[in-house]
Amino acid sequence: MQAQETQNEGLKRAYRLTVTVADIESRIDAEVQKIAPQVRMPGFRPGKVPANLVKKMHKDALLQEALNTSIQEGVQKTITDNKLRPATQPHVHLDHDYAPGKDAVVDFHFEILPSIPEVKIEGLSLERLTVEAEGAEIDAALGRLASGHKNFETAAKSYKAATGDVVVIDFEGKVDGVPFDGGKGEGMSVELGSGQLIPGFEDQLVGVKANDSKVINVTFPENYGAKELAGKAATFDIVVGEVKKPVESKADDSLAQAFGLESLDKLKELMKVQVEQELNGLTRTYMKRQLLDQLAADHDFEVPPSMVEAEFEQIWAQLEQEADREDDPEAARKEMEAEREDYRDIAVRRVRLGLLLSEIGQANGVEVSQQEMNMLVTQAAQQYRQEDRQRFVQYLQENPMAAAQLRAPLFEDKVVDFLFDKASVTEKTVTRAELEAAIEAEPEAKPAKKAPAKKAAAKKEAAPAKEEKPAAKKAATKKEVAKDEGEKPAKKAPAKKAAAKK
């Protein structure tokens, strides 16, 4: 087995590998000897089938297995012998003229990881901005929780429903005067203006009163889930049971009890923990952004183009998804195209910083323990069905690169913590507003221009039965994309038991 270098340009390497027919045949013979004792064939005692017959019976499978194994070992030996560190999986191409009984000629190419100059981690200087999770912060969090917790009370029978109210209805839907399956229901609560139902349905309930009867005329969307109703005009006979008006929720014992807690004091305790976590996340984000900016300024080296392309494609896919949600997707895409190179610069920066952090971690003995890796695998497996989890675990065991991708975020966090310990850190207590402003003011890979703001709400798809849709997000800007290098601050969340109350 021989390998000849055919390309050595920058980080690109290519080789031509020749696997001799003798090597292939030797592997086939070895496999035949291994499987022969298990082969069964009429006329022969178990394990006594002649090797030449075994070879003839399974010649195609044996050849393929021997060829694949030889190529894999040849590629790996070439990489090891030349002390190379591949950045990507080698791309392997078997010569199209190959035929059984001939030497196999294989071309393969890949990119290698760069030789990173001496890493400078001395002299790092960071500022830790902290916010006290005390009175005002806790009260603000409770206020946000209360404002997001809607309560409704039954209005007077003469009260006319307005946008924001809840109307409780019985209904029966018809197409061409004929009731359709699933079109009938009782006691359904509809929040007017929420966009839960098909276009026009909620609008026609504005102004109704308790005990009113009404016929609503709508047209099902062309992309409606039930194909037999898609695009069709329909009527709904409505009887209004009651109208409910929203009432302001207050941060009191009743709010705490709505979330399964016994008192406001208990709710405050839980909110304090959540606020502390959120503020700690903001503090870490600010510090990590400073750290990455200093590392980026002090280190410059070539990065593998394929890694940059993969990172860029991930960024671009995110932006395309956001553009599709814009009022004018075409205009949003044009703006993206005008800034394409800026986003590519962000991809280059991300890859370079990733390689740099990896080098720092390896050079300083930073590791993800097997116990930590097991926890990562267990957590990741939870997203799959019970019967698929073991297959996921097996996939990670057989694919080192996939396992490395799972390990990478935790490894990076540990390297960042290592660098935090090495850095000279000054402490400063600030307000939340000052901390958030500092994060926004951090310099980016490139000056950021604002993408057009998202104005439209998510499309209204359902009617009258609810079909929950994810909330539409604001389009990402370059500043937001670049900021993903740092840790995302903890999301503002209600008390732990809030999800159950709905």
Side-chain angles (χ1 to χ4, degrees):
M1 193 180 301
Q2 298 177 339
Q4 177 183 1
E5 187 177 72
T6 57
Q7 183 183 27
N8 187 334
E9 300 175 6
L11 299 178
K12 296 181 178 180
R13 298 291 185 273
Y15 292 86
R16 172 159 290 182
L17 177 70
T18 301
V19 182
T20 65
V21 65
D23 183 56
I24 296 172
E25 290 295 332
S26 174
R27 290 179 183 276
I28 291 175
D29 290 341
E31 186 64 19
V32 168
Q33 294 299 321
K34 180 180 176 181
I35 68 172
Q38 286 81 43
V39 173
R40 300 290 186 268
M41 182 180 290
F44 295 93
R45 287 181 296 165
K48 298 299 182 179
V49 180
N52 64 321
L53 289 181
V54 174
K55 190 173 182 179
K56 185 175 180 180
M57 287 173 58
H58 302 282
K59 62 179 182 180
D60 291 340
L62 289 168
L63 173 62
Q64 192 63 51
E65 178 66 23
L67 191 58
N68 288 344
T69 302
S70 296
I71 292 173
Q72 290 174 9
E73 290 185 4
V75 170
Q76 187 57 50
K77 185 175 186 300
T78 302
I79 292 171
T80 302
D81 290 349
N82 289 278
K83 299 179 180 180
L84 301 174
R85 297 190 303 163
T88 57
Q89 288 280 16
H91 297 271
V92 181
H93 306 279
L94 177 64
D95 189 274
H96 68 277
D97 288 335
Y98 174 73
K102 295 173 55 179
D103 291 348
V105 178
V106 176
D107 290 301
F108 64 97
H109 64 274
F110 54 96
E111 293 172 3
I112 61 172
L113 293 174
S115 176
I116 299 177
E118 182 179 358
V119 179
K120 303 171 186 177
I121 61 174
E122 303 301 329
L124 293 171
S125 179
L126 304 175
E127 182 181 45
R128 178 184 285 117
L129 303 183
T130 59
V131 181
E132 296 294 333
E134 298 299 342
E137 282 293 326
I138 305 302
D139 290 343
L142 285 169
R144 291 192 297 269
L145 182 62
S147 64
H149 180 66
K150 293 183 179 180
N151 280 328
F152 295 88
E153 65 178 10
T154 301
K157 294 186 181 299
S158 59
Y159 176 79
K160 294 182 178 181
T163 299
D165 294 340
V166 167
V167 178
V168 181
I169 61 172
D170 297 339
F171 63 90
E172 182 174 26
K174 301 175 183 178
V175 172
D176 295 331
V178 179
F180 55 84
D181 290 342
K184 187 174 183 178
E186 296 179 352
M188 185 176 79
S189 294
V190 180
E191 183 179 344
L192 304 188
S194 66
Q196 295 172 301
L197 309 182
I198 56 176
F201 195 101
E202 294 170 20
D203 295 342
Q204 295 177 64
L205 289 176
V206 173
V208 300
K209 305 186 302 296
N211 301 321
D212 279 357
S213 296
K214 185 171 184 175
V215 177
I216 288 178
N217 294 278
V218 293
T219 299
F220 285 98
E222 293 291 343
N223 60 347
Y224 189 68
K227 293 182 179 180
E228 67 276 10
L229 299 175
K232 291 188 177 181
T235 61
F236 283 88
D237 298 331
I238 303 295
V239 176
V240 179
E242 60 180 335
V243 177
K244 297 181 178 181
K245 296 190 298 183
V247 293
E248 182 181 356
S249 293
K250 297 180 180 179
D252 53 18
D253 287 345
S254 63
L255 178 65
Q257 290 162 7
F259 290 106
L261 300 171
E262 60 188 48
S263 66
L264 179 60
D265 288 340
K266 292 295 183 182
L267 179 57
K268 284 183 176 180
E269 291 175 10
L270 184 55
M271 292 306 296
K272 182 175 182 179
V273 172
Q274 292 189 344
V275 169
E276 286 176 342
Q277 292 174 344
E278 182 182 343
L279 294 174
N280 289 339
L282 289 171
T283 295
R284 183 180 174 87
T285 295
Y286 177 67
M287 289 184 66
K288 186 173 179 180
R289 292 285 297 131
Q290 293 177 79
L291 174 66
L292 295 180
D293 285 335
Q294 289 184 45
L295 292 175
D298 292 341
H299 301 86
D300 186 21
F301 50 86
E302 185 181 6
V303 294
S306 61
M307 293 182 70
V308 172
E309 189 61 29
E311 186 66 38
F312 173 76
E313 287 178 359
Q314 183 176 340
I315 293 172
W316 201 252
Q318 173 193 345
L319 294 168
E320 286 182 325
Q321 290 176 1
E322 299 295 345
D324 288 340
R325 298 190 183 105
E326 292 290 333
D327 288 337
D328 189 345
E330 185 175 348
R333 286 177 181 271
K334 284 183 179 179
E335 183 162 350
M336 284 166 49
E337 287 293 342
E339 299 171 342
R340 177 183 283 268
E341 290 310 308
D342 290 340
Y343 288 116
R344 191 172 293 278
D345 288 342
I346 291 173
V348 171
R349 171 186 160 101
R350 282 188 180 182
V351 171
R352 183 175 290 123
L353 284 169
L355 293 174
L356 191 57
L357 290 173
S358 177
E359 186 76 11
I360 292 171
Q362 293 180 36
N364 291 278
V366 178
E367 294 181 346
V368 173
S369 68
Q370 187 58 53
Q371 182 179 5
E372 290 170 326
M373 189 61 191
N374 291 341
M375 290 179 62
L376 290 175
V377 173
T378 300
Q379 291 170 358
Q382 297 305 311
Q383 65 184 301
Y384 298 95
R385 296 178 302 176
Q386 184 70 38
E387 58 269 27
D388 293 332
R389 291 175 186 173
Q390 186 54 45
R391 286 164 51 193
F392 170 73
V393 173
Q394 184 177 351
Y395 169 76
L396 292 177
Q397 292 171 343
E398 296 173 352
N399 293 270
M401 291 192 73
Q405 288 178 339
L406 182 63
R407 182 189 299 108
L410 178 57
F411 178 77
E412 179 179 305
D413 281 345
K414 298 185 79 166
V415 176
V416 167
D417 287 336
F418 167 79
L419 292 173
F420 283 169
D421 290 339
K422 289 285 185 182
S424 172
V425 180
T426 58
E427 304 274 352
K428 184 178 179 181
T429 301
V430 296
T431 65
R432 174 194 285 268
E434 289 171 333
L435 176 54
E436 290 176 340
I439 293 173
E440 289 297 320
E442 280 295 296
E444 303 297 339
K446 284 286 181 180
K449 299 176 184 177
K450 286 286 182 181
K454 175 116 184 110
K455 295 180 181 178
K459 287 186 178 181
K460 301 166 186 175
E461 294 281 346
K466 303 176 185 177
E467 288 182 18
E468 302 224 341
K469 297 289 175 182
K473 295 182 180 178
K474 182 179 177 182
T477 63
K478 283 202 292 295
K479 190 169 187 178
E480 290 166 342
V481 170
K483 197 183 296 174
D484 284 344
E485 295 166 349
E487 286 194 330
K488 296 179 181 177
K491 294 182 180 178
K492 300 174 183 176
K496 290 182 180 178
K497 297 186 180 181
K501 181 75 176 178
K502 201 159 186 178

